[in-house]
Amino acid sequence: MKLGKHLNTAVALGVAAGLTLGGSVAAAPDAGEYRFGIVSDDTGPLAAAGVSFHNGADLAVEEINANGWAGEGVTINLQVKDSGSDAARAVQAMNQFGADRRVLAATCCILSSIAAAVSPIAMNSKLPLVIYGATRDGLPQEPFVSSVVALPGPQEVALSERLVADLKPKSVAYFFAGDNDIFMARAKAMQEVLAGAGAETVAEITTLGNDTDFTGPATQAIATNPDMILVMTTQQAAVGIITALRQRGYEGQIATSEVISPPAIFEKSGTTVAGIPFALSFQPGVSDSDMAVGFIEAYQTKHGNLPDVYAAQGYTAIQLIAQALKTLDGKPEREALAKAIWATKSIDHNLYDGQEIENGQARTPQTLIVNWTPEGQIELWGAD
């Protein structure tokens, strides 16, 4: 893999962090293989994102094992159970992980509803669970459930403030996800900023995640003649709405979320999504810390394409578990590992040039406001 000096730097930092002030080696788990479980979304309606989460987790395991980041002689074996974004299958997978005492920790969940369903299982079986994708407030539960996903709000506010400063829209039409309370909350946070700056709401259009025909809603939005259209829905709906708006001749500014960030979306939609701003914390071509560059190179070598923000979150979830594991002595038990994860205040191996955690909840490390170019590159919005 093309990790070069980036991994050498990271390993040196890790070794330094493993020493006490007196120079002696800190706690270390017994050498051997330890199993982590991942409830993946490799199939189903969210597979475009789910595969990225899984690929990021796989790369983290590979790097951890190659560099001893979880302890000398310690290797991680990632056990995979695909839920297909189905709650019943996710619950079954978590029950199986909980019953298998060889599984020391688990990571799961794009959807907040599924994260809420599997969390009680993790707590009852005392199985540490790190959430890699769900964003509902209140999901962490001390000490067994933690999250590496920053809560929605700060990034949406930052994007809204940029839209106000740069475009000064006087009228905005909104597309809401009627069956997704997280996206609804994100949209409302943006609407509050825009309305507070004097932008009139001229339409509020609600769609559902399984909708496929957006002709009518697009026509309805365009008829209000808005300066800007904000699309805050899940991925499939967002792409469909944006496509319908462009096909019906809307040439005004559209803004959306990171759901259009995966390269597969541009491969499918092309210039339809070009120039549309969205906010996230990690993006190849923009994120330039040593660890980010090393991760991007390694991911591209392994998978033949660039990682996205979802791959970064899957990677971070495994890194958090491994970092906590390294602080334990002897043969670690689940409850001790859960407490070590909860006590972690920052993740050493992260792609954001710093990642803080407070009460089991990751905090927004940075906000990058970006867009696709017509040539298929992502750059900082307004870079031209």
Side-chain angles (χ1 to χ4, degrees):
M1 295 190 302
K2 300 178 182 178
L3 300 182
K5 68 181 182 67
H6 305 296
L7 276 186
N8 292 336
T9 300
V11 171
L13 291 172
V15 170
L19 301 178
T20 66
L21 292 177
S24 59
V25 178
D30 290 347
E33 179 184 278
Y34 295 89
R35 296 187 178 188
F36 298 169
I38 180 170
V39 181
S40 68
D41 288 84
D42 295 331
T43 61
L46 302 179
V51 170
S52 290
F53 283 113
H54 188 176
N55 286 347
D58 277 342
L59 184 55
V61 169
E62 188 173 305
E63 293 185 1
I64 290 162
N65 291 345
N67 295 284
W69 288 347
E72 184 176 354
V74 172
T75 59
I76 306 303
N77 184 320
L78 191 63
Q79 305 288 297
V80 182
K81 295 186 184 295
D82 178 22
S83 74
S85 301
D86 179 78
R89 288 172 61 185
V91 166
Q92 181 184 42
M94 189 60 68
N95 275 321
Q96 290 170 342
F97 285 145
D100 185 350
R101 302 304 299 182
R102 296 171 299 175
V103 176
L104 195 59
T107 186
C108 175
C109 310
I110 296 176
L111 295 176
S112 296
S113 57
I114 292 180
V118 302
S119 292
I121 299 169
M123 291 184 283
N124 289 338
S125 59
K126 296 186 176 181
L127 177 68
L129 171 64
V130 175
I131 296 168
Y132 59 64
T135 56
R136 179 180 294 159
D137 193 9
L139 287 174
Q141 299 289 322
E142 185 175 5
F144 292 106
V145 183
S146 301
S147 175
V148 297
V149 189
L151 292 174
Q155 290 186 341
E156 282 75 18
V157 169
L159 174 56
S160 300
E161 291 172 344
R162 271 291 304 279
L163 293 170
V164 167
D166 290 11
L167 303 179
K168 299 177 175 57
K170 295 181 180 179
S171 59
V172 183
Y174 296 86
F175 280 89
F176 296 143
D179 54 354
N180 189 302
D181 59 339
I182 302 302
F183 272 93
M184 182 69 79
R186 296 173 71 181
K188 290 295 186 181
M190 296 187 72
Q191 186 179 32
E192 183 176 347
V193 174
L194 291 163
E200 179 187 2
T201 297
V202 294
E204 293 183 345
I205 301 169
T206 300
T207 65
L208 301 178
N210 292 328
D211 288 348
T212 56
D213 183 359
F214 300 100
T215 304
T219 301
Q220 179 185 350
I222 293 171
T224 65
N225 194 31
D227 292 337
M228 184 170 69
I229 296 177
L230 181 67
V231 180
M232 289 297 289
T233 67
T234 53
Q235 188 176 79
Q236 178 176 311
V239 173
I241 291 166
I242 293 167
T243 301
L245 289 169
R246 292 308 192 205
Q247 286 177 345
R248 273 142 197 82
Y250 183 70
E251 297 180 353
Q253 183 67 60
I254 300 172
T256 188
S257 72
E258 80 291 338
V259 296
I260 67 167
S261 67
I265 296 300
F266 187 86
E267 291 171 9
K268 177 181 178 180
S269 304
T271 56
T272 300
V273 297
I276 297 175
F278 54 93
L280 37 60
S281 295
F282 167 83
Q283 181 60 51
V286 181
S287 298
D288 58 2
S289 70
D290 281 353
M291 289 185 188
V293 171
F295 170 76
I296 293 163
E297 292 176 352
Y299 190 99
Q300 192 165 23
T301 298
K302 184 177 179 65
H303 297 291
N305 52 38
L306 290 171
D308 54 28
V309 65
Y310 305 125
Q313 290 169 206
Y315 177 91
T316 306
I318 299 298
Q319 292 288 359
L320 171 59
I321 301 170
Q323 179 177 324
L325 175 62
K326 190 176 181 179
T327 68
L328 302 179
D329 268 325
K331 194 70 172 177
E333 298 291 336
R334 287 178 171 180
E335 188 165 4
L337 178 57
K339 291 178 179 178
I341 293 171
W342 190 269
T344 301
K345 301 302 180 185
S346 63
I347 302 175
D348 295 338
H349 297 284
N350 70 84
L351 311 176
Y352 315 107
D353 203 18
Q355 174 64 80
E356 302 299 317
I357 299 182
E358 183 179 342
N359 294 325
Q361 175 69 64
R363 301 300 176 186
T364 301
Q366 59 183 330
T367 297
L368 305 171
I369 299 174
V370 300
N371 65 267
W372 283 104
T373 69
E375 297 74 31
Q377 303 297 317
I378 285 187
E379 64 181 11
L380 290 173
W381 186 56
D384 293 334

